[in-house]
Each structure stands twice: as C-alpha cells, then as structure tokens.
Amino acid sequence: MSLVKLTIKGISYSQTQNGAYALILNEVDGERKLPIVIGAFEAQSIAIALEKEIRPPRPLTHDLFKNFADRFDIVVKQVIIHKLVDGVFFSSIICERDRIEEIIDARTSDAIALALRFSAPIFTYKNILDKAGIYLKTSSEEGEEHHEGVLSEPETFGTESNVSGEGYSQYNLQELHEQLENAVQNEDYEKAAKIRDEISKRES
C-alpha cells in the first residue's frame, strides 16, 4: 500500500461540541483534507508546537517526551496513520535509537503532537485517505455530481462520540448529499460529520 504525505492545515474549534477540536490534515500532492476530532489538551499541545514563538513556562507532556527522547538519543523518524476502524484512527510512531528502529502504537493526536516537535513527516495510506478524506470540489467541477469525499468520524478517547445524524432524518438522500457538499465547502466539519453519519446509516 502506498503512503501519502500529509501536512497540518490548522485546528478548528467546535461551536457545539464543548471541548472538541477538529485537526485538519492536508494531502501534500492533492486537494483532499483529512479531519480528525481531538480533545482540548491535544489541540493545545499541537497549537503550541505550530506557534514556534509560544513557549510554556513548564514543559507540556509532549515536550517532556521530547526532552526525554533527546536525553536518550531517541529520534522520531515519522508518524503513520495506518488504520481506520469504526471511525477511530490508529497511528504508529517510527522511532530510532542506535540505528535500531522501533514502532510504537499511539493515538493520532499524540503522534502528531510529537511529530511536530521532532519535525518528523506525517503519512497515511492511500486507502485510508480514499475512505476518510474530504475532496473539495473546484469551480471547474460545478454542476457535476460528486460524492466521493466523506468526512472521517472522530478519534475517540474512551468515551462515546456525540457526533450523530440527529436532526437530519427529515431530509432525503439527495438533499443530504447537497448539504454535505455545502458543509464541506464552508469548512463546517462538525456539521459534515453529522450529515455523513446520517447518509451512512441509510446506505448501510
């Protein structure tokens, strides 16, 4: 399976889901985006790593891991989002010490927070991006029917996701697909997740 390199586009705050944030990853050689809902702590840690000028007075958990790894000559080489099961992303951190490579399982949000601190590249497999990536339709494609882009379900942290299709039961499938496209165009990822869930429920 071929790997696809990703970059971080940004972090979007959820207006309705308290304490939730959407981490938006970009396909490097394409136009698809991979959104992952993460918790507030992970969002803060990623945001601080993105803003190089911001230095917390005491090291955050991911900073502590970086300091620990530096002290013992451990290098994070890359992060791979390698699996998507029931809406949950699974990631691996590829580390190296004394030319010996080790693979460590991690939550995607933690893996990305560390990748930023080590300036390590982030990858996913093409089949995961095909399944969970959002394709933003360009103006040249206006008028063409296009539904291949879907929104990934959120990463979970031992609790049930409250992203559901509630409130969309009165719409037919064509209307739902149109609303999904509009939500994606407006970068309203949380709304898109709810609509996508309703579509998936009906088409399953």
Side-chain angles (χ1 to χ4, degrees), residues 27 31-35 84 127-138 141 144-153 176-185 189 191-193 195-197 199-200 203:
E27 180 183 17
E31 298 179 6
R32 287 176 293 184
K33 293 174 172 39
L34 187 67
L84 175 60
N127 65 323
I128 292 177
L129 196 58
D130 290 341
K131 180 180 179 182
I134 287 177
Y135 181 86
L136 294 182
K137 190 168 75 172
T138 63
E141 294 171 310
E144 296 178 11
E145 190 174 6
H146 185 85
H147 302 312
E148 80 177 40
V150 294
L151 184 71
S152 61
E153 290 182 340
L176 288 172
H177 279 296
E178 289 172 357
Q179 289 196 37
L180 174 61
E181 185 177 301
N182 288 334
V184 169
Q185 292 292 338
Y189 300 113
K191 181 178 179 181
I195 298 170
R196 193 293 313 273
D197 286 349
I199 293 172
S200 298
E203 293 182 340

Side-chain angles (χ1 to χ4, degrees), residues 4-10 22-27 31-38 80-84 89-91 108 112 122-136 150-153 189:
V4 178
K5 190 173 183 180
L6 303 169
T7 59
I8 296 175
K9 174 179 172 61
L23 171 66
I24 314 301
L25 303 176
N26 261 357
E27 180 183 17
E31 298 179 6
R32 287 176 293 184
K33 293 174 172 39
L34 187 67
I36 304 171
V37 176
I38 62 175
I80 301 176
I81 304 170
H82 64 86
K83 189 165 62 172
L84 175 60
F89 290 95
F90 293 78
S91 294
T108 299
I112 290 174
I122 303 164
F123 296 94
T124 192
Y125 288 109
K126 183 179 180 297
N127 65 323
I128 292 177
L129 196 58
D130 290 341
K131 180 180 179 182
I134 287 177
Y135 181 86
L136 294 182
V150 294
L151 184 71
S152 61
E153 290 182 340
Y189 300 113

Side-chain angles (χ1 to χ4, degrees), residues 1-161:
M1 290 184 289
S2 59
L3 286 172
V4 178
K5 190 173 183 180
L6 303 169
T7 59
I8 296 175
K9 174 179 172 61
I11 299 173
S12 171
Y13 178 66
S14 169
Q15 298 296 324
T16 60
Q17 190 175 348
N18 190 33
Y21 294 78
L23 171 66
I24 314 301
L25 303 176
N26 261 357
E27 180 183 17
V28 169
D29 295 319
E31 298 179 6
R32 287 176 293 184
K33 293 174 172 39
L34 187 67
I36 304 171
V37 176
I38 62 175
F41 171 77
E42 292 79 9
Q44 179 192 51
S45 182
I46 291 170
I48 287 175
L50 287 170
E51 298 291 336
K52 301 296 184 184
E53 314 82 51
I54 300 176
R55 288 181 175 270
R58 301 290 295 159
L60 301 176
T61 302
H62 298 108
D63 298 320
L64 177 61
F65 185 97
K66 173 68 162 60
N67 295 340
F68 183 90
D70 288 345
R71 183 66 59 90
F72 290 94
D73 297 321
I74 300 168
V75 178
V76 171
K77 305 293 289 184
Q78 61 183 8
V79 162
I80 301 176
I81 304 170
H82 64 86
K83 189 165 62 172
L84 175 60
V85 179
D86 296 330
V88 180
F89 290 95
F90 293 78
S91 294
S92 296
I93 301 172
I94 315 301
C95 303
E96 186 178 276
R97 181 172 183 264
D98 296 333
R99 297 185 180 180
I100 298 173
E101 190 174 274
E102 298 286 350
I103 301 174
I104 300 173
D105 182 48
R107 294 187 307 175
T108 299
S109 52
D110 289 328
I112 290 174
L114 291 173
L116 285 169
R117 286 163 170 79
F118 283 89
S119 299
I122 303 164
F123 296 94
T124 192
Y125 288 109
K126 183 179 180 297
N127 65 323
I128 292 177
L129 196 58
D130 290 341
K131 180 180 179 182
I134 287 177
Y135 181 86
L136 294 182
K137 190 168 75 172
T138 63
S139 56
S140 62
E141 294 171 310
E142 290 291 342
E144 296 178 11
E145 190 174 6
H146 185 85
H147 302 312
E148 80 177 40
V150 294
L151 184 71
S152 61
E153 290 182 340
E155 180 183 19
T156 57
F157 304 97
T159 58
E160 288 187 347
S161 164

